[in-house]
DNA sequence: TTGTAAGCGTTATCAT
DNA sequence: ATGATAACGCTTACAA
């Protein structure tokens, strides 16, 4: 590889002048600039990033931490990050934490060791107090998390109004007996709390009461969904609609409903959350809440670049709107 | 950040000795080694990768080029690459070429500029002759591609026997009138050729003749699938089963079949390719050929690390087996 | 407007 | 077994 010195020699100038041209600085005569550009082209010269980095430059690399790229939501988010970063000249490193706290922390060392300029954490594994210290080595942006004090920007989408819109939709369909299924406990903090509040708000506004027996907690998987469907249909006094915390659960419920001959939505309306690919392929197709993964990835990247270049950003959470996608299951 | 010099001072030794410890070299007394290790820990010292890189070290980073991480096949492949690389201490950069030749080439510059030690190209956008020159800057491994001379390792999966097994399965189900749908032309080179041969081989072995009217080329999307279903069902003399080149097409066909009241598999059996998530969610669930995305990602990473460390690898294509997944559509 | 030289944090060479 | 020193390729005072 040609070095800056090669270029300088060929152009009959000094390294300094070449460096000035590379970095678009002033005080280079037009003719010399042209000479340098010419030499660079002829030698197919590319500045060595390691050397620039060593001199304290930016790495032009950002990192993104996701639980797994195979999850469609995180795949979209990652895709958007890569795309947005690329357009600004940045490269993207990925880390799949796979629920591994140590891997997450190890990956954040990229910041410490100046291999990445900033980090986007799409899902936090560690407690924030264990991650916080990394912020002194470079900017971190969080997605969909609530942290004690807003010391870093957080990109969220509006779970409350998403859920609110979902429940309201069910009510408009004529449902009054609406169950609610969540991955967390009902009183939980954070993301799930917002959703729960959306549920409560919509029910309260419509003057509907919440039946505690129709609140199902700690359900996560397709399998959980299958069991839940069976459970619900076996209840004496049962809801006519269930709002679930994920498309996976909802898909499990629908699968089991088809199995048992339960008609969706006639016997039981089912709503998902996330608008994953399953949602459009399952029969009946699933009404669900769209999570703006693309938007979050874009926004997170924009914010981190802003932070990198101007060293400031809004610390109030960025709230992205979420839409309801009405299909056949409600 | 602490530097090697800080560690050296604290340990009361020279940079050189510290470097020796870092790199696990001989000729360091046990007590000094302990001293250095101690100092490193106390200072939370991490070698600066930029500096090491400048000295000609490996970057411990590999790149992976995919069309889009949102495609489930490439997401799995990427996930496997990241996972495998991580276990060996490597980080992974992603590039979504999005069908953009220039982006692909720009990304390969990472090799030139020593930002990545090696590259895995999961789907090639450019002609190989435009990529070939990059190989002199570092190892490249290709997935699912055929190139003129085998100058770099290629990881493929056995498309021929995958297709062969698929057709054979249809024959075992009693089908004799088997159509075949492909994205390319029937005589095409490469990947599709292998598949076509699998089709021909299975048909020939069963003594079945191929009806040219049942060969459908240049079909790619779900939409194409819908149209194809309509077309097939309108034929006077039509196949009883169609093997398609992708789950997308097959899913489109099934969707349209459900729409038109065509029964799958009774009126028409349909087979996909790829085992994408759609395949298990559509009704009836799709019989398809499993593409070993995980296996390819793993293998590609292993080969590239092998190449990096021992500078040699098999140039014969690595062929991964592919399985047939039998579901309800056949 | 241009050039000289120091320094970023490592590792390799050569002495000791 | 240990250490002094040069070199990797670049940017940035500082000088001219």
């Amino acid at each position: 590889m040609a070095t800056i010195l090669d270029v300088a020699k060929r152009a009959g100038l000094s390294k300094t002048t070449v460096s000035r041209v590379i970095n678009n600085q002033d005080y280079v005569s037009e003719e010399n600039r042209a000479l340098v550009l010419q030499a660079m082209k002829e030698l197919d010269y590319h500045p060595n990033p390691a050397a620039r980095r060593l001199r304290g430059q930016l790495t032009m690399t950002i990192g993104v931490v996701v639980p797994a790229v195979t999850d469609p939501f995180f795949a979209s988010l990652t895709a958007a990050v890569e795309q947005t970063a690329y357009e600004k000249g940045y490269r993207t490193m990925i880390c799949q934490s796979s629920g591994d706290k140590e891997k997450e922390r190890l990956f954040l060392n990229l910041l410490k060791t100046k291999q990445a300029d900033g980090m986007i954490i799409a899902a936090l594994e560690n407690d924030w107090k264990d991650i916080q210290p990394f912020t002194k080595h470079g900017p971190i942006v969080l997605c969909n998390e609530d942290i004690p004090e807003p010391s870093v920007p957080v990109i969220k989408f509006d779970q409350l109004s998403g859920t609110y819109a979902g429940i309201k939709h069910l009510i408009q369909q004529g449902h009054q007996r609406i169950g609610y299924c969540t991955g967390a406990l009902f009183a939980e903090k954070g993301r799930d709390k917002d959703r729960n509040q959306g549920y409560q708000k919509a029910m309260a506004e419509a003057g509907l009461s919440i039946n505690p027996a129709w609140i199902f907690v700690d359900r996560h998987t397709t399998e959980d969904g299958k069991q839940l469907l069976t459970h619900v249909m076996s209840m004496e006094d049962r809801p006519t609609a269930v709002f679930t915390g994920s498309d996976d659960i909802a898909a499990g419920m629908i699968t089991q409903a088809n199995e048992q001959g339960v008609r969706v939505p006639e016997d039981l309306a089912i709503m998902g959350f996330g608008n994953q690919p399953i949602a459009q392929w399952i029969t009946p197709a699933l009404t669900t809440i769209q999570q703006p993964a693309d938007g979050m990835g874009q926004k997170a990247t924009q914010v981190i670049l802003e932070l990198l270049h101007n060293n400031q950003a809004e610390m109030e959470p960025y709230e992205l709107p979420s839409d309801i996608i009405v299909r056949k299951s409600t």
Side-chain angles (χ1 to χ4, degrees), chain A:
Chain A
M1 285 293 292
T3 76
I4 198 173
L5 190 59
D6 299 325
V7 176
K9 280 182 184 156
R10 182 164 198 120
L13 293 163
S14 73
K15 289 194 301 177
T16 310
T17 304
V18 176
S19 175
R20 289 202 179 96
V21 172
I22 294 170
N23 297 288
N24 273 312
Q25 299 184 18
D26 290 338
Y27 301 113
V28 180
S29 69
E30 273 318 312
E31 55 189 69
N32 280 350
R33 186 181 297 276
L35 238 43
V36 169
L37 256 19
Q38 167 83 13
M40 285 178 24
K41 184 155 292 172
E42 286 173 6
L43 295 171
D44 189 24
Y45 167 78
H46 295 271
N48 180 322
R52 310 184 89 177
R53 215 162 286 186
L54 193 54
R55 279 299 325 224
Q57 299 288 301
L58 294 180
T59 68
M60 301 303 276
T61 298
I62 62 175
V64 54
V65 186
V66 296
V69 267
T70 44
D71 178 305
F73 173 77
F74 291 108
S76 295
L77 195 148
T78 306
V81 168
E82 197 274 347
Q83 179 65 26
T84 312
Y86 181 83
E87 285 163 7
K88 302 291 183 183
Y90 280 76
R91 301 293 168 266
T92 305
M93 307 206 46
I94 45 167
C95 173
Q96 302 183 94
S97 53
S98 326
D100 182 339
K101 295 187 183 194
E102 197 194 332
K103 188 171 178 188
E104 181 171 271
R105 290 197 307 271
L106 238 67
F107 191 72
L108 286 167
N109 272 331
L110 290 181
L111 231 40
K112 238 187 208 170
T113 57
K114 296 280 173 287
Q115 294 188 83
D117 298 329
M119 289 285 173
I120 293 169
I121 307 183
L124 194 55
E125 298 299 338
N126 287 271
D127 288 343
W128 175 243
K129 66 170 170 39
D130 295 324
I131 298 301
Q132 164 89 51
F134 287 97
T135 57
K136 70 164 174 285
H137 299 110
I140 288 179
V141 168
L142 244 39
C143 294
N144 277 333
E145 292 291 338
D146 275 304
I147 50 173
E149 328 101 84
S151 45
V152 299
V154 177
I155 319 292
K156 347 176 42 167
F157 81 99
D158 193 343
Q159 312 252 355
L160 190 154
S161 66
T163 310
Y164 174 80
I167 301 293
K168 211 156 168 198
H169 161 75
L170 292 172
I171 293 169
Q172 279 163 0
Q173 299 288 308
H175 294 281
Q176 308 231 350
R177 306 159 67 83
I178 301 177
Y180 180 84
C181 165
T182 172
L185 296 174
F186 197 60
E188 202 89 19
K189 299 271 177 199
R191 181 184 79 174
D192 294 286
K193 187 177 135 222
D194 290 344
R195 295 196 192 174
N196 299 347
Q197 287 182 348
Y199 170 56
Q200 291 168 321
K201 183 176 166 210
M203 293 295 274
E205 278 185 17
L208 298 176
S209 64
I210 293 177
N211 181 338
W214 299 344
I215 305 291
F216 311 101
V217 299
D218 197 23
R219 315 285 165 132
H220 304 89
T221 64
T222 304
E223 200 47 47
D224 291 339
K226 290 185 183 175
Q227 288 171 9
L228 181 58
L229 187 282
T230 307
H231 172 63
V232 168
M233 295 314 289
S234 73
M235 294 172 83
E236 294 251 319
D237 183 37
R238 61 168 197 259
T240 60
V242 176
F243 181 95
T244 71
S246 85
D247 286 351
D248 280 334
I249 301 171
M253 292 184 73
I254 289 181
T255 304
Q256 183 64 23
N258 291 339
E259 198 79 18
Q260 293 186 200
V262 173
R263 292 168 307 158
V264 177
E266 294 81 356
D267 301 334
L268 185 70
I270 296 172
M271 228 185 121
F273 204 107
N275 195 27
Q276 301 217 354
I278 315 169
Q280 59 177 308
W281 287 111
I282 202 160
T283 307
L286 191 59
T287 297
T288 189
I289 306 295
Q290 159 99 317
Q291 296 203 54
D294 280 5
M296 297 192 69
Q298 264 177 36
K299 192 71 194 175
T301 311
Q302 284 161 3
V303 169
I304 214 154
L305 294 184
E306 181 71 15
L307 228 32
L308 241 23
H309 297 140
N310 307 332
N311 199 30
Q312 55 178 290
E314 192 62 58
M315 287 303 158
E316 282 311 293
Y318 295 82
E319 294 257 359
L320 271 53
S322 57
D323 293 326
I324 173 170
I325 313 262
V326 179
R327 295 203 181 88
K328 307 284 189 183
S329 70
T330 57

